[in-house]
Amino acid sequence: MTRDILGLGQVRIHAGSVSRIEAMKEAAEILEAAGAVTASYFDAMQQREATISTYMGNELAIPHGLNETKGTILDSALSFVRYDGGVDWDGNPVTFVVGIAGKGGEHIQLLSHIALLFSDEDDVEKLRAAQSPEELYELLLAMY
């Protein structure tokens, strides 16, 4: 993972829990603040979620837009938020919400890298144990 796709300001840790919609909204807002998406990307995420859940298993959800809404993507970027209180993702427990904006065909590569990272239980445990956004960010850069 490169620093141009994920900056420290795009990594957050929250002690509590939020709803699925609130988690998706935060993911979209982080991507928008990074200059990667337009303000309508949240709507694109909601359209995707209405079509097929972005819950991936292993406490991970990866909200992103539909191919038809790729005009809302300005650049490739990630947002990474850990909710220690969890998120109810349509009945599935989620701790990690990774928002993805992929310019061109890059979203497939980003999705596969994140899925691979979360397939390793030891890596997931390290991400869960990080004490600060800075520590979480450095772990992500090292693992990716």
Side-chain angles (χ1 to χ4, degrees):
M1 182 178 315
T2 58
R3 293 175 193 273
D4 58 329
I5 290 178
L6 183 70
L8 177 56
Q10 292 155 245
V11 178
R12 299 181 183 169
I13 298 174
H14 296 299
S17 65
V18 297
S19 70
R20 177 179 55 85
I21 293 293
E22 290 168 319
M24 288 170 50
K25 181 81 170 153
E26 183 170 18
E29 287 172 350
I30 292 169
L31 292 171
E32 185 181 355
V37 300
T38 67
S40 58
Y41 194 63
F42 174 62
D43 294 333
M45 283 180 163
Q46 288 182 293
Q47 289 173 34
R48 160 71 71 186
E49 204 65 38
T51 307
I52 186 166
S53 177
T54 55
Y55 172 73
M56 308 303 278
N58 212 15
E59 299 181 49
L60 172 67
I62 307 178
H64 56 285
L66 295 163
N67 283 341
E68 297 80 29
T69 58
K70 61 185 171 208
T72 61
I73 298 172
L74 307 172
D75 203 1
S76 294
L78 296 174
S79 64
F80 194 99
V81 184
R82 189 181 83 200
Y83 296 95
D84 292 345
V87 178
D88 179 347
W89 209 275
D90 293 331
N92 298 298
V94 167
T95 302
F96 301 95
V97 177
V98 181
I100 290 184
K103 190 75 175 153
E106 212 170 0
H107 72 284
I108 299 295
Q109 183 182 8
L110 292 170
L111 281 166
S112 65
H113 279 299
I114 295 299
L116 191 61
L117 173 65
F118 275 83
S119 68
D120 186 318
E121 290 291 336
D122 291 338
D123 285 346
V124 173
E125 192 52 46
K126 288 176 190 170
L127 296 173
R128 195 180 290 111
Q131 297 296 304
S132 68
E134 294 79 11
E135 184 181 347
L136 186 54
Y137 176 68
E138 292 302 325
L139 277 170
L140 288 166
L141 289 180
M143 291 176 176
Y144 198 77

